Amino acid sequence: MAFRSVFDGGALRTEFESAGISPHFVPLIWKYVLHNPGCDLSDVPSLPSAAYPLLISKFRPLTSFLSSALDSNDRLTTKLLIRLQNGNSVEAVIMRYDTRQGKYDGKPRSGGPRSTLCVSSQVGCKMGCKFCATGTMGFKNNLSSGEIVEQLVHASRITHIRNVVFMGMGEPLNNYAALVEAIQIMTGFPFQLSPKKITVSTVGIIHAINKLPIDLPTVNLAVSLHAPDQDIRCQIMPAARAFPLGKLMDALQTYQKNTQQKVFVEYIMLDGVNDHEQHAHQLGKLLVTFKVLETGGKLDTFQSDW
């Protein structure tokens, strides 16, 4: 029998409501599990007596476990390998940085050490992007909202997480319901992340982008553009055939109008493919009417290490 994670918020609330138990106890369970690694659900204090047999029979504090945590040589990055109850594994990555490094407008930056967690939304991916290691795996399964949130739980036991980016394994907008529920849990008690500190990256699933201003209006959106025209996009991102560049840009214009937020544009330069001067000019024309933040890098081959 497969148990549900207590962080599958919708499922847990539904079970509680069916049993006549107030759902306001749910965040209290999350807080206890978050602060008590290895606990048993029978240990959670102050719940109605009817809650305990329901929890024990259908849920587990965590349905995944941390298989390994590997630090980079400079200890700024930690890669987590997380084993799911179905036997598959996903990766999450903790990235540490100090916002005081460098200057802004000629002045020292304020702030201090920060940690960002990169989380996965699927095992494998259907998109097949040529530069992405996950794209070579094919698609295996969606993660539940609980399995997504559990990545944050595992990482939080290593360091305090300030930001979350959905840039790990999978296309987040192809697992839309679980994505929305996971972010709603992350921004609520006890995690209480700011929605403005969460970024969702997508290859450009247009129908899902159209729903984001309603479901996640203050979360950041990042778009994996990687080419200034449709032909090159289709060459390196096969899924782009289903989402023509013109229609994608129209959807982003509407998104920006409705949310009044900047859009992160991701662009990996692939040697001899999308890194010519003409591509830079095309990209500039494509984005001239947008408020964007650009992120990118240079790769000499089509394969990245993610």
Side-chain angles (χ1 to χ4, degrees):
M1 174 182 174
F3 292 92
R4 301 295 297 264
S5 167
V6 292
F7 293 101
D8 282 318
L12 183 54
R13 285 191 176 95
T14 297
E15 291 287 350
F16 270 26
E17 289 170 356
S18 297
I21 302 169
S22 172
H24 89 265
F25 289 105
V26 170
L28 302 178
I29 297 170
W30 294 339
K31 180 182 179 181
Y32 187 84
V33 172
L34 181 62
H35 294 294
N36 294 274
C39 72
D40 189 282
L41 291 176
S42 61
D43 299 330
V44 182
S46 305
L47 298 180
S49 58
Y52 293 104
L54 188 156
L55 286 171
I56 293 168
S57 64
K58 296 186 177 182
F59 294 89
R60 289 291 178 266
L62 296 174
T63 58
S64 64
F65 67 91
L66 183 61
S67 294
S68 65
L70 301 177
D71 290 326
S72 59
N73 291 335
D74 58 12
R75 302 189 67 82
L76 294 178
T77 302
T78 303
K79 181 178 283 191
L80 311 181
L81 183 65
I82 297 169
R83 185 84 166 178
L84 309 176
Q85 67 173 336
N86 66 3
N88 290 326
S89 295
V90 293
E91 291 180 335
V93 179
I94 300 170
M95 299 168 287
R96 303 172 182 86
Y97 58 99
D98 193 329
T99 58
R100 296 169 296 187
Q101 294 181 349
K103 294 184 177 181
Y104 180 76
D105 196 23
K107 301 176 183 178
R109 291 177 178 268
S110 60
R114 301 282 189 268
S115 291
T116 293
L117 177 66
C118 177
V119 299
S120 296
S121 55
Q122 298 176 311
V123 181
C125 185
K126 296 178 181 179
M127 301 297 100
C129 298
K130 303 297 184 182
F131 50 83
C132 177
T134 305
T136 65
M137 293 174 55
F139 173 74
K140 294 186 178 180
N141 63 267
N142 284 325
L143 299 186
S144 71
S145 59
E147 289 171 326
I148 295 172
V149 175
E150 285 184 18
Q151 295 171 66
L152 177 58
V153 175
H154 291 302
S156 295
R157 291 173 179 171
I158 296 173
T159 187
H160 173 70
I161 300 298
R162 182 173 183 265
N163 309 303
V164 171
V165 293
F166 283 79
M167 298 181 182
M169 298 169 67
E171 164 55 55
L173 296 190
N174 269 351
N175 190 12
Y176 191 83
L179 169 76
V180 171
E181 184 171 281
I183 290 176
Q184 290 171 341
I185 294 170
M186 291 176 179
T187 55
F189 183 84
F191 299 100
Q192 295 180 306
L193 294 179
S194 167
K196 296 185 178 183
K197 302 299 183 185
I198 297 177
T199 300
V200 176
S201 176
T202 177
V203 301
I205 312 297
I206 294 173
H207 62 273
I209 291 173
N210 292 337
K211 295 190 291 185
L212 286 175
I214 298 172
D215 296 323
L216 299 170
T218 55
V219 168
N220 299 305
L221 176 64
V223 177
S224 295
L225 195 61
H226 304 314
D229 65 59
Q230 179 69 1
D231 289 342
I232 298 176
R233 267 198 114 221
C234 290
Q235 178 188 348
I236 61 178
M237 304 170 68
R241 295 185 181 92
F243 308 105
L245 187 57
K247 291 184 178 181
L248 173 59
M249 303 312 287
D250 288 343
L252 294 177
Q253 285 279 15
T254 301
Y255 170 86
Q256 194 156 77
K257 179 181 178 182
N258 290 336
T259 63
Q260 297 298 305
Q261 294 198 134
K262 292 181 179 179
V263 175
F264 288 86
V265 173
E266 301 164 304
Y267 196 104
I268 293 177
M269 291 187 292
L270 301 168
D271 190 32
V273 179
N274 64 352
D275 63 342
H276 298 163
E277 183 177 345
Q278 70 188 59
H279 298 139
H281 291 302
Q282 288 176 295
L283 182 63
K285 291 179 180 178
L286 187 66
L287 300 178
V288 69
T289 61
F290 285 86
K291 295 179 181 178
V292 300
L293 296 169
E294 295 184 66
T295 63
K298 176 76 173 179
L299 291 180
D300 293 326
T301 67
F302 277 96
Q303 189 69 30
S304 77
D305 294 327
W306 180 71

